[in-house]
Amino acid sequence: MKLAQEAIERLAEHLERCELEARDTTKITDDYPDMDWEDAYAIQEAIKRRKLARGARVVGFKAGLTSHAKMRQMGVSTPCFGFLVDDYAVPEGGEIDTSVLIHPKVEPEIAFVTKAPLKGPGCHIGTVLAATDFVIPAIEVIDSRYRDFKFDLKSVIADNCSSSRFVVGGRIAPPQELDLRTIGVVLEKNGEPVAFGAGAAVLGHPASAVAMLANELGRRGEEIPAGSLILSGGITEAVSVQKGDAITLRVQHLGSVGVRFG
Ligand code: OOG
Ligand code: MG
């Protein structure tokens, strides 16, 4: 760790204020170029503690930057991991108020819901599929607190990987009934198809993103508890949305899920 606890708490407060007040900021590594990976995750943890103190509940986790399309779009080469709280959940078919967001984008994802704990190191696709109760289509809404979505990996980890909202819906299925590598997804904006892909875009198989998350948490002595919802990462580039847009995600064999921006 390179940063003092006081700086970690101050940066967490700053980033969370930007989230709650829908304000953007420059990336924190501009002011703290020496901060390390541990500092980045410590800031994310301090943001989590602030939310828990206000009564939020952790409902799951997310993996981000797990496809080449996303890594290319954001100019990074390694995935990042964050947490999800109940405040981020939006009901299927619901409306998201854009006035409380900065510059939202949507991503087509496959979400996993676990029935057994997953504890790394040593997790792989097999352990993940065995611990998965079902998979379900998910639209993730990301809203980086950094101006124009310009960040590096440490800054985005500190910012809880741009987490903002998520919507799950459509059909659920046990993962053994599907080939998650070849499963096709179509993302539609106002009825027009705008992005397409297949599950293999996420690290070859979306379950490998969940395995990486479990192994990363394991290094910190934590696990993915049973009953967690995990977003495995955008299959395509993220698509910008504005007030008035309607988004539908269609996933082969798993129906569709939609959300509107008001
Ligand atoms: C970081 C979060 C990326 C994904 O699914 O790749 C992410 C960002 O691009 O702002 O959630
Ligand atoms: Mg995502």
Side-chain angles (χ1 to χ4, degrees), residues 80-159:
C80 64
F81 304 103
F83 64 86
L84 301 173
V85 286
D86 50 355
D87 299 348
Y88 297 163
V90 177
E92 174 167 20
E95 185 170 282
I96 295 174
D97 180 3
T98 48
S99 72
V100 298
L101 302 180
I102 306 164
H103 44 197
K105 294 185 187 183
V106 291
E107 301 177 318
E109 306 207 8
I110 304 290
F112 290 67
V113 175
T114 55
K115 61 183 175 190
L118 268 169
K119 192 165 173 54
C123 286
H124 49 74
I125 294 175
T127 29
V128 171
L129 295 179
T132 298
D133 197 358
F134 56 85
V135 291
I136 184 169
I139 298 170
E140 184 180 27
V141 181
I142 51 171
D143 195 30
S144 175
R145 270 51 71 169
Y146 298 118
R147 195 152 304 150
D148 304 321
F149 267 86
K150 294 246 161 47
F151 49 67
D152 52 20
L153 202 56
K154 287 175 191 160
S155 295
V156 75
I157 288 169
D159 185 32

Side-chain angles (χ1 to χ4, degrees), residues 62-65 70 107 109 140-142 161 231-234:
K62 69 170 277 182
L65 306 170
K70 279 287 316 186
E107 301 177 318
E109 306 207 8
E140 184 180 27
V141 181
I142 51 171
C161 299
L231 298 174
S232 53

Side-chain angles (χ1 to χ4, degrees), residues 13-104:
E13 178 178 0
H14 170 62
L15 286 173
E16 207 213 7
R17 278 242 177 101
C18 288
E19 178 197 340
L20 298 177
E21 296 169 10
R23 279 193 286 118
D24 66 8
T25 182
T26 50
K27 66 181 194 302
I28 58 176
T29 47
D30 289 351
D31 294 326
Y32 296 90
D34 296 333
M35 65 180 266
D36 62 18
W37 302 105
E38 261 187 278
D39 294 321
Y41 277 106
I43 295 166
Q44 185 191 112
E45 278 298 312
I47 292 175
K48 190 201 284 176
R49 281 197 302 277
R50 295 176 64 82
K51 293 189 182 298
L52 294 180
R54 250 185 263 114
R57 292 184 52 183
V58 173
V59 295
F61 302 88
K62 69 170 277 182
L65 306 170
T66 49
S67 66
H68 289 295
K70 279 287 316 186
M71 289 187 207
R72 218 176 18 246
Q73 184 180 30
M74 306 322 298
V76 300
S77 54
T78 329
C80 64
F81 304 103
F83 64 86
L84 301 173
V85 286
D86 50 355
D87 299 348
Y88 297 163
V90 177
E92 174 167 20
E95 185 170 282
I96 295 174
D97 180 3
T98 48
S99 72
V100 298
L101 302 180
I102 306 164
H103 44 197

